[in-house]
Amino acid sequence: QVQLVESGGGLVQAGGSLRLSCAASGRTFSTYAMGWFRQAPGKEHEFVATITASGGHTYYADSVKGRFTISRDNVKNTMYLQMNTLKAEDTAVYYCANKRDSGPYYGSLDYDYWGQGTQVTVSS
């Protein structure tokens, strides 16, 4: 069983930045792919970014490419999402997810464990 806890969400003005964190329990964090997803009101779960187990490869949705950066610290068992130049359309609940494989994975159904989410609100 893996437990994931997101933090770092909040209210920010358009053009601003936030950094989300996802702390994972367990001793095998470094062997798992990780991902960020988001869900806005009335919309489906949307892929944001994924990172392979080693951290050597990262992939992004077109909507966030160039603005968001996913990273991980396998010593601290933590994944991050640095979000810059935020837009109103980035407003959503952001979830981190864990896949018991090296990755990468893009679909929400691919992932095994999920955090409870953290709200990000961007005011225009």
Side-chain angles (χ1 to χ4, degrees):
Q1 186 78 11
V2 175
Q3 291 187 330
L4 304 173
V5 179
E6 302 97 336
S7 62
L11 174 64
V12 64
Q13 288 188 332
S17 299
L18 282 174
R19 188 175 84 151
L20 305 183
S21 298
C22 173
S25 65
R27 295 175 291 177
T28 54
F29 178 78
S30 62
T31 66
Y32 296 163
M34 298 290 294
W36 287 101
F37 290 78
R38 66 187 182 186
Q39 188 168 24
K43 296 188 176 181
E44 295 186 353
H45 240 185
E46 177 188 15
F47 166 76
V48 175
T50 183
I51 187 166
T52 54
S54 67
H57 297 280
T58 59
Y59 303 88
Y60 299 90
D62 288 342
S63 59
V64 306
K65 201 173 294 183
R67 299 188 298 121
F68 291 10
T69 303
I70 188 172
S71 62
R72 64 190 297 162
D73 184 332
N74 284 347
V75 173
K76 295 182 178 179
N77 280 16
T78 303
M79 175 180 66
Y80 305 97
L81 185 68
Q82 178 66 43
M83 306 186 295
N84 298 329
T85 319
L86 283 161
K87 305 175 181 179
E89 51 263 44
D90 294 319
T91 295
V93 177
Y94 283 71
Y95 299 90
C96 67
N98 168 285
K99 169 65 178 178
R100 291 175 292 181
D101 193 71
S102 59
Y105 292 92
Y106 310 95
S108 59
L109 295 178
D110 293 327
Y111 285 81
D112 300 305
Y113 297 102
W114 291 82
Q116 292 185 318
T118 185
Q119 175 71 47
V120 171
T121 303
V122 184
S123 63
S124 57

